[in-house]
Amino acid sequence: MKKFNYIKPKNLNSERVNWVISEQTRNIVAAFSEYSEYTESEVVDEFLKNILTDEEFVDWAMKKRNNKRLLKQLGLEEMEV
């Protein structure tokens, strides 16, 4: 029996940011957006979430003083010891 994949809601808490990125990075995002059929914003959002797989970054966040708010913002609150 094939498993049914539920549709997950998009993050409605988005806002515009004003970042300066290189032309090469813009081209990479645009090309991957075309390839994957996701919007450029969705591509950037998904790739940046991969930062949470960096164990050293997660360890750093876990060790910060008064880190409850930071862990909640990063979606790591369930990892708190």
Side-chain angles (χ1 to χ4, degrees):
M1 187 166 144
K2 188 174 179 181
K3 182 181 174 188
F4 183 77
N5 293 322
Y6 294 100
I7 297 172
K8 295 185 180 181
K10 289 187 176 185
N11 180 2
L12 300 177
N13 295 328
S14 61
E15 67 179 71
R16 287 193 178 275
V17 293
N18 187 18
W19 293 343
V20 177
I21 59 173
S22 70
E23 181 179 359
Q24 180 186 21
T25 300
R26 288 192 313 273
N27 291 335
I28 292 168
V29 171
F32 194 84
S33 172
E34 182 180 347
Y35 160 75
S36 66
E37 298 181 357
Y38 284 96
T39 67
E40 291 181 9
S41 295
E42 290 170 324
V43 168
V44 170
D45 192 56
E46 286 301 314
F47 273 99
L48 289 178
K49 287 178 184 173
N50 286 325
I51 290 173
L52 296 176
T53 63
D54 181 336
E55 292 177 10
E56 290 181 12
F57 171 66
V58 171
D59 287 343
W60 171 84
M62 300 292 279
K63 291 176 184 175
K64 279 192 62 85
R65 257 182 125 189
N66 303 317
N67 68 350
K68 289 186 185 291
R69 184 183 54 141
L70 175 63
L71 294 179
K72 184 174 181 177
Q73 291 171 338
L74 298 178
L76 298 173
E77 66 269 18
E78 67 277 357
M79 294 179 65
E80 188 175 20
V81 187

